[in-house]
Amino acid sequence: MTEEKGDLCWIVVLWFALLGLIGAVVLLSLVPPVSRDALVHHLNIPKIYLRHGGIYEIPGMSFSYFPMNLDLLYMIPLRFGNDIAPKFIHFAFALASAGLIHGYLKPRVGKSHALIGALFFLSVPIIVKLSITVYVDLGLVFFSTAALLLLFRWKETGFGFGSLTGSAVCCGLAMGTKYNGLVVCFLLTAFVPSIYAACGRDRRHRFWKPVGFGVLYLAVAMAVFSPWMIRNWIWKGNPVYPLYNSVFNPPKRVALNAEAERKPRAPRGLFIYRSNMYQESEWQILLLPVRIFFEGEDGNGQYFDGRLNPFLLIFTVLAFVGMTGVKRHSEPPDRSDPPGSLDSRGRRDGTAWISGQKKILLAFSVLYFLVALFSTVLRIRYIAPIVPPLVILSVFGMKNSMDLLKATLFRGRSLAASITGGMLLMVCFGLNAQYIVTQFRVVDPLSYLSGKLDRDAYITRFRPEYPVMQYANQHLPADARILFVFMGKRGYYCDRPYRLDSEGSSSLLMKVAGDSATPGAMLKRLRAMGITHMMFQSDIFNRWVSDDWSVDDRALVKAFLRRHTTLIHSHHLYGLVALESP
């Protein structure tokens, strides 16, 4: 009875902590959006579609070809002029992911540990950061986690089609949320035959039936993802544009002179990039899989632009050490166990399947991390789908460590073991709580909610280009078209049509200068493109012209700006100039 009361007290404390965390996220979200990708893409493209009256091709913005399952949801509140509500849509997927983690863990490790898992997930710094921003990563996290756990359910229910197709649908929705879902699809499609073959059933079809399940899984997932592929195929001839565009649309071969053909290409890769960019040694680069748990820092690319929690690694290791973290074989079946969760041959087989699930969770996390590590710049949010599997493994590790403490160090004294475990959890969650407190200083929602700062002043604090955009919205004619130069592509707060100067590695302004002999010719070319104004960040623009342009082009653009443009508004380092009328 005493142990039951202790568990009840833990559950009450965990629920209060969970509600407090949700309340903190809500407060942090009740401010206007200022995060970069929200203003570039996730709010901006839906706003442009709404203004246009529907989805249409925007050739100058490669990110407009990304899949947009969540972005389409954001159109609903944007239609009614609310750009804060999308944060709560995004956060809802974090809550749903926490629900999946809780539902998976409850029949396996008990109510209190299941609540610990949900709380741990929601309080991990990168999840908190994503929960208060208008991104789409939490949608990917939810769909990938649901797809993975449904594969476990597929095995537990005797390989029925319902769980398999449900997992495939979730996998397709993950791909339709973000291209990183392609990695999820690749891994889970490979897991399907492995899970079926491992059961040792149906030896007559040992090869073809597992492969058939894998093919079915891939077909259903691709069918769900297909609307975005069809759109991009029609627009660009590449179903996953801009990914692999050189494969679907190979560039025309241009004859090179002998010297250029002999010139070796600069090597590219993880080691070269991080060594050149951050002056990191080979050992530092090799330790990246460990460093990401200890060295994360928001806004710093060298330190992965985000934070995890070191206990995600520590407890994951403990999940495979010592006791299994599930009910002992001698215990009677728990009514909370799902039907079919254990094999008909007894509880020992069920425990073996739990061990198999832990291996699959670890394999998914490791393989996904490796693909992300060697395919793109490493950011914590790019590997967010591995957080739920690591949280689940961490809870198994917590359970294992508690069982080991009771069985060895404290020799059955559960109270002492509980106190020690509680202190360890306080350190673990204390790191997350510290990050949340820091976010209140960074985001500063109370200044906005108390009325100390109005909406315009709050946005300007984080985005100094905002007053220049507001001036353009209020004073430029509706048919004006602005060329954005070094504006970070953040166009959400600009209500006038605009064009980005840079798309990829090329610059429109530099190309126009290279094709023009005189400042007047530059003006004529820009006007022919419909451009009436330019908006730029002056310090970066001046350094760019001084360092990257040839002497002749530098003189040309300076003469063009002096003779044919007029500065009409500026704020901080941002300026708006009008091009001379033809």
Side-chain angles (χ1 to χ4, degrees):
M1 183 65 68
T2 303
E3 189 170 345
E4 290 180 1
K5 287 183 178 179
D7 288 342
L8 181 60
C9 289
W10 265 110
I11 290 172
V12 171
V13 169
L14 290 169
W15 269 113
F16 272 108
L18 192 59
L19 293 174
L21 172 62
I22 293 172
V25 171
V26 169
L27 283 175
L28 289 167
S29 300
L30 289 171
V31 294
V34 293
S35 53
R36 180 186 180 276
D37 279 9
L39 306 185
V40 171
H41 178 200
H42 302 301
L43 289 177
N44 189 33
I45 299 302
K47 176 186 174 182
I48 293 173
Y49 286 166
L50 287 169
R51 187 191 304 147
H52 185 267
I55 296 176
Y56 73 108
E57 186 176 8
I58 312 174
M61 301 180 184
S62 60
F63 44 84
S64 67
Y65 296 91
F66 292 169
M68 298 179 63
N69 281 350
L70 260 65
D71 298 317
L72 293 183
L73 289 178
Y74 299 157
M75 291 178 70
I76 299 172
L78 286 178
R79 174 64 180 81
F80 298 98
N82 190 324
D83 54 14
I84 294 178
K87 295 183 183 182
F88 295 103
I89 295 176
H90 196 219
F91 179 45
F93 284 95
L95 294 175
S97 301
L100 290 176
I101 293 170
H102 180 272
Y104 173 83
L105 288 171
K106 183 179 176 182
R108 293 165 174 83
V109 291
K111 294 179 181 179
S112 59
H113 280 84
L115 278 174
I116 289 173
L119 180 62
F120 191 22
F121 169 76
L122 288 173
S123 64
V124 170
I126 187 59
I127 301 301
V128 172
K129 188 68 174 180
L130 292 172
S131 296
I132 62 176
T133 52
V134 190
Y135 284 5
V136 297
D137 302 85
L138 292 176
L140 174 64
V141 166
F142 169 75
F143 290 124
S144 61
T145 304
L148 182 57
L149 297 184
L150 279 170
L151 282 187
F152 295 163
R153 185 68 176 172
W154 174 57
K155 194 267 185 188
E156 293 167 357
T157 54
F159 302 103
F161 283 99
S163 297
L164 182 68
T165 54
S167 175
V169 167
C170 289
C171 187
L173 292 172
M175 290 188 285
T177 299
K178 191 171 184 176
Y179 275 141
N180 300 52
L182 293 169
V183 181
V184 176
C185 183
F186 171 77
L187 294 177
L188 297 190
T189 301
F191 286 172
V192 168
S194 302
I195 292 173
Y196 185 83
C199 74
R201 293 171 36 168
D202 204 357
R203 296 183 179 274
R204 292 173 300 172
H205 306 288
R206 189 178 298 176
F207 176 77
W208 291 111
K209 198 163 185 179
V211 170
F213 279 128
V215 171
L216 173 64
Y217 189 91
L218 181 62
V220 173
M222 285 298 175
V224 175
F225 179 48
S226 63
W228 301 113
M229 292 194 294
I230 294 170
R231 178 200 65 170
N232 286 350
W233 183 266
I234 294 172
W235 284 350
K236 288 292 186 180
N238 176 358
V240 290
Y241 184 85
L243 302 181
Y244 311 113
N245 198 47
S246 60
V247 176
F248 291 95
N249 298 300
K252 295 180 181 179
R253 296 183 62 87
V254 179
L256 301 174
N257 58 44
E259 182 180 354
E261 289 180 348
R262 287 195 301 270
K263 185 177 180 181
R265 294 183 178 181
R268 299 180 63 188
L270 174 70
F271 284 84
I272 298 296
Y273 174 81
R274 294 195 69 90
S275 177
N276 292 339
M277 182 67 70
Y278 306 124
Q279 289 75 51
E280 291 183 347
S281 67
E282 291 185 359
W283 279 109
Q284 286 177 300
I285 297 172
L286 288 172
L287 287 173
L288 281 174
V290 176
R291 289 173 56 201
I292 62 167
F293 294 96
F294 292 88
E295 295 186 347
E297 182 179 328
D298 289 345
N300 190 330
Q302 181 177 4
Y303 299 114
F304 324 119
D305 190 23
R307 284 179 57 184
L308 291 173
N309 184 308
F311 283 92
L312 275 174
L313 176 63
I314 296 168
F315 282 131
T316 293
V317 173
L318 290 173
F320 297 91
V321 176
M323 308 178 86
T324 62
V326 295
K327 303 175 183 69
R328 297 172 183 262
H329 309 319
S330 59
E331 292 179 355
D334 192 329
R335 292 181 181 179
S336 62
D337 287 338
S341 63
L342 302 178
D343 269 325
S344 58
R345 286 176 288 179
R347 186 150 298 262
R348 186 175 301 276
D349 289 330
T351 304
W353 171 227
I354 293 291
S355 177
Q357 292 176 44
K358 291 196 289 186
K359 292 175 182 176
I360 293 171
L361 290 168
L362 181 64
F364 176 86
S365 301
V366 171
L367 293 174
Y368 189 99
F369 173 80
L370 290 176
V371 172
L373 178 64
F374 290 103
S375 62
T376 185
V377 177
L378 184 58
R379 297 283 188 270
I380 294 295
R381 66 187 180 91
Y382 295 168
I383 59 170
I386 74 174
V387 175
L390 292 179
V391 167
I392 290 172
L393 290 172
S394 295
V395 173
F396 280 120
M398 294 175 193
K399 186 72 165 61
N400 281 358
S401 60
M402 287 292 295
D403 290 343
L404 284 170
L405 286 173
K406 290 178 183 178
T408 58
L409 186 61
F410 296 104
R411 300 190 180 279
R413 288 174 291 178
S414 58
L415 180 60
S418 297
I419 292 174
T420 304
M423 293 174 63
L424 192 61
L425 286 180
M426 286 180 64
V427 176
C428 172
F429 284 105
L431 296 174
N432 295 348
Q434 181 184 30
Y435 179 83
I436 295 171
V437 171
T438 301
Q439 286 304 296
F440 272 91
R441 292 199 299 267
V442 173
V443 178
D444 192 18
L446 300 182
S447 293
Y448 175 75
L449 296 175
S450 66
K452 182 179 178 181
L453 294 177
D454 63 13
R455 178 181 171 91
D456 290 347
Y458 182 86
I459 297 172
T460 303
R461 172 189 284 188
F462 294 91
R463 294 301 172 197
E465 74 271 15
Y466 179 73
V468 181
M469 291 185 175
Q470 288 295 89
Y471 181 90
N473 296 339
Q474 296 165 8
H475 295 89
L476 297 190
D479 60 350
R481 193 179 193 199
I482 306 170
L483 179 65
F484 275 16
V485 185
F486 292 109
M487 297 295 295
K489 303 181 181 180
R490 299 182 295 269
Y492 172 70
Y493 288 118
C494 183
D495 295 336
R496 294 294 176 264
Y498 66 91
R499 179 170 179 172
L500 301 177
D501 173 66
S502 61
E503 184 61 26
S505 59
S506 61
S507 164
L508 173 66
L509 193 62
M510 185 178 283
K511 184 178 185 304
V512 168
D515 294 340
S516 303
T518 65
M522 275 194 70
L523 175 65
K524 186 176 180 180
R525 287 179 180 275
L526 290 171
R527 277 290 187 171
M529 298 175 186
I531 295 170
T532 61
H533 296 77
M534 289 172 51
M535 190 181 295
F536 54 85
Q537 188 174 354
S538 59
D539 60 336
I540 299 179
F541 177 80
N542 291 333
R543 288 200 304 269
W544 174 57
V545 172
S546 298
D547 297 342
D548 297 348
W549 289 50
S550 67
V551 175
D552 292 340
D553 286 346
R554 190 185 310 150
L556 179 65
V557 75
K558 287 183 177 180
F560 162 73
L561 292 173
R562 185 173 60 253
R563 299 177 192 175
H564 300 293
T565 67
T566 303
L567 179 66
I568 59 176
H569 190 74
S570 65
H571 178 267
H572 198 45
L573 296 172
Y574 293 87
L576 176 66
V577 300
L579 273 63
E580 183 181 276
S581 298

